[in-house]
Amino acid sequence: MPITDWPADERPRERLLKLGPAALSDAELLAIFLRTGIAGKSAVDLARDLLQEFGSLSALLKADHPRFVKSAGLGTAKYTQLQAVLELARRHFEECLKRENALTSPELTRHYLSNWLKGRPYEVFVGLFLDNQHRVIHAEELFRGTIDGASVYPREVVKQALAHNAAAMIFAHNHPSGICEPSEADRLLTQRLKQALGLVDIRVLDHFIIGDGQPYSFAERGLL
């Protein structure tokens, strides 16, 4: 039965308008994005099949183009739409951070960094440049590496921080393995950055590691 023939209070769009997006299941939200199903399957049925095929919503969202378009009901148009939605979410969080103190909005900071970095197949190291009220001036990908790591040069970070007239910084990088625990190299790099930036009176407020689950915070673990 097509969704248009369902009772109004069971249709995903109507449920979202009435109850809000948080009330919907992953399959219902995905069905709204898909808009239509395929022969013999409604959009909700297709969404459930896709979630089972990929294993999770997160796995579907971070699938690369060749993997994404292999699945029934998905194609290049849907892939580009999804990437646009993800980028819009990232930019939304960035705009919010520019209006708020990053330290008093830790969940917003985590959401932003997770949206930016989670699911990358290679390691990416980013920096948030903050003013003296800890609002984001600028967010930038500083270094990019392979699945094994990225080379980070403190001198280049200091140069960028001075160019943006930053008073403080927050760093983050992802672990493609999904494991959030810091390596010894991560610990040493954080201390090197803290020392280099300290020479020009720029504070390092935190360093997040993004993987599966809750991001790891150096500040919360007393490592800064």
Side-chain angles (χ1 to χ4, degrees), residues 3 8 10-18 24 28 31-32 35-36:
I3 291 176
E10 294 181 14
R11 300 174 198 164
R13 289 182 186 176
E14 282 73 8
R15 278 173 43 76
L16 186 148
L17 291 171
K18 182 178 180 180
L24 273 64
E28 289 173 314
I32 292 174
R35 296 178 59 194
T36 59

Side-chain angles (χ1 to χ4, degrees), residues 5-166:
D5 292 339
W6 292 12
D9 60 356
E10 294 181 14
R11 300 174 198 164
R13 289 182 186 176
E14 282 73 8
R15 278 173 43 76
L16 186 148
L17 291 171
K18 182 178 180 180
L19 303 173
L24 273 64
S25 67
D26 289 349
E28 289 173 314
L29 290 170
L30 183 57
I32 292 174
F33 171 75
L34 293 171
R35 296 178 59 194
T36 59
I38 57 177
K41 291 182 182 179
S42 69
V44 173
D45 293 330
L46 176 59
R48 288 177 181 143
D49 287 350
L50 288 170
L51 291 173
Q52 184 173 10
E53 177 186 340
F54 281 87
S56 68
L57 179 62
S58 176
L60 188 155
L61 295 178
K62 68 183 182 182
D64 61 18
H65 181 242
R67 172 65 188 90
F68 190 88
V69 298
K70 282 182 180 178
S71 299
L74 302 179
T76 296
K78 284 285 190 293
Y79 180 78
T80 57
Q81 289 170 16
L82 180 58
Q83 295 308 305
V85 168
L86 294 174
E87 180 60 18
L88 283 170
R90 188 190 74 80
R91 295 185 188 189
H92 163 68
F93 286 128
E94 183 176 349
E95 286 186 15
C96 291
L97 275 175
K98 286 181 176 178
R99 294 194 298 268
E100 298 189 30
N101 183 310
L103 286 188
T104 58
S105 304
E107 287 307 309
L108 181 59
T109 304
R110 283 186 171 89
H111 279 308
Y112 171 62
L113 293 170
S114 293
N115 271 273
W116 192 0
L117 298 178
K118 184 174 279 189
R120 300 285 190 101
Y122 45 80
E123 195 164 303
V124 179
F125 189 89
V126 304
L128 303 183
F129 300 86
L130 312 177
D131 64 16
N132 56 13
Q133 295 183 356
H134 297 160
R135 293 173 303 194
V136 174
I137 303 168
H138 180 66
E140 184 175 337
E141 179 181 310
L142 296 168
F143 304 98
R144 179 180 295 194
T146 65
I147 196 168
D148 298 317
S151 297
V152 178
Y153 303 100
R155 189 173 79 168
E156 292 301 314
V157 176
V158 171
K159 186 188 299 184
Q160 288 295 91
L162 291 172
H164 292 294
N165 196 29

Side-chain angles (χ1 to χ4, degrees), residues 210-224:
I210 309 299
D212 295 334
Q214 185 79 348
Y216 182 99
S217 164
F218 275 66
E220 289 180 357
R221 302 298 179 93
L223 298 177
L224 279 174

